Amino acid sequence: MTTSTTTTTPSRWKRLRDSYLWYSFKRDRTAQLCLAVFICLVIAAFSAPLIAPTDPYDLRHIDIMSSELPPFWIDGADERYSLGTDAQGRDLWSIILYGTRVSLLIGFGAVMLQALLGVTFGLMAGYLGGRVDAFLMRLADIQLSFSTLMVAIVVGAVVKATMGSAFYSQYAVLMLVLIIGLAEWPQYARTVRASVLAEKNKEYVDAARVMGLRSKRIMFRHVLPNTLSPIFVISTVQIANAIISEAALSFLGLGMPETHPSLGSLIKSGFDYIQSGSWWITLIPGAVLVVLVLSINLLGDWLRDVMNPRLYKG
């Protein structure tokens, strides 16, 4: 057993080092920078309880007398608050860390739900065809006719009317994951269906049918692994789209409440104070949102180019 482990592990690393993906990554400075920025933001966000000076969820840290203090490079700043404070007197650096974590949780959670629904429906539609394909694709067309904003309005209104606003605020993260996930799954379904249509008539699928394997096993064990490349590319783009959707919904008052900060709710909370001179409450979280989304989008563009078989050089 020891000999097998020592012989297989170096070969895997060698295959990774010799792969076109790694070769392209080493030559692309933009991809390296974007990955480094994204990893730093993720680590900082999920380490918020450890590195944040204050807890924005603790009411004891709300100090109205210290509200709207400027960042450290502006006259009148307080050394306790490096990036200043918001209108409630909370440390802006702390709520940006916690808000980025919430936005990332919603982005990753929504994309996982989108992928689960979209990949499953896309596999079934492409492999089974016929009435199943027609029904699922018409369902996707109907879903695409409703924007994320419309779904958020309907779901939010129903939940608030039946459960109350306090329930919605308590489970706002889960609600936004469901809203964004249910609104965007057709992107996966259409892409996976197109890939399955190109794969299901190949020889390895015919061989699996001849061996008597069930359709479910053929779809998930044989066809799905050969459609992963476009799924990875879509996922990077959809994470950025989900974060933007959360920010837009929160800015419109349909997402995270101000008591549970996200990047979108932070931008909304400081929007009314821009003209009064407290521009940092909105612009600093907005800059973090732009950097986060831009790094993810550029990584997605690089991954799309690398995984495009027409650009593969071997």
Side-chain angles (χ1 to χ4, degrees), residues 67-70 85-87 269-282:
S67 63
E68 300 182 52
L69 291 177
T85 59
D86 66 351
S269 65
F271 188 74
D272 296 333
Y273 298 91
I274 292 181
Q275 294 183 351
S276 65
S278 302
W279 50 266
W280 55 88
I281 303 177
T282 290

Side-chain angles (χ1 to χ4, degrees), residues 36-170:
V37 170
F38 177 69
I39 291 176
C40 289
L41 288 174
V42 171
I43 293 175
F46 286 95
S47 301
L50 300 176
I51 63 177
T54 61
D55 183 358
Y57 300 111
D58 191 348
L59 298 179
R60 293 175 299 177
H61 293 140
I62 296 179
D63 184 9
I64 301 298
M65 301 302 296
S66 300
S67 63
E68 300 182 52
L69 291 177
F72 68 91
W73 63 86
I74 300 178
D75 293 336
D78 191 324
E79 61 180 8
R80 296 176 298 170
Y81 310 110
S82 57
L83 295 183
T85 59
D86 66 351
Q88 301 179 40
R90 299 177 297 181
D91 178 44
L92 194 60
W93 167 242
S94 299
I95 56 179
I96 285 177
L97 289 176
Y98 279 88
T100 304
R101 184 176 65 170
V102 171
S103 296
L104 287 171
L105 285 174
I106 294 173
F108 282 109
V111 168
M112 290 176 62
L113 179 59
Q114 294 172 24
L116 177 64
L117 296 176
V119 170
T120 302
F121 292 161
L123 276 173
M124 294 173 60
Y127 186 82
L128 300 177
R131 294 183 178 179
V132 175
D133 183 18
F135 172 76
L136 291 176
M137 288 301 100
R138 298 299 78 75
L139 183 63
D141 292 338
I142 294 173
Q143 180 62 62
L144 287 173
S145 65
F146 295 96
S147 65
T148 305
L149 178 60
M150 185 179 298
V151 175
I153 293 174
V154 173
V155 174
V158 172
V159 172
K160 289 180 180 180
T162 55
M163 301 294 182
S165 299
F167 178 87
Y168 184 88
S169 299
Q170 183 178 0

Side-chain angles (χ1 to χ4, degrees), residues 22-35:
W22 180 249
Y23 173 78
S24 175
F25 181 76
K26 290 192 300 182
R27 295 174 60 89
D28 196 321
R29 300 300 181 188
T30 301
Q32 296 174 17
L33 177 61
C34 290
L35 182 61

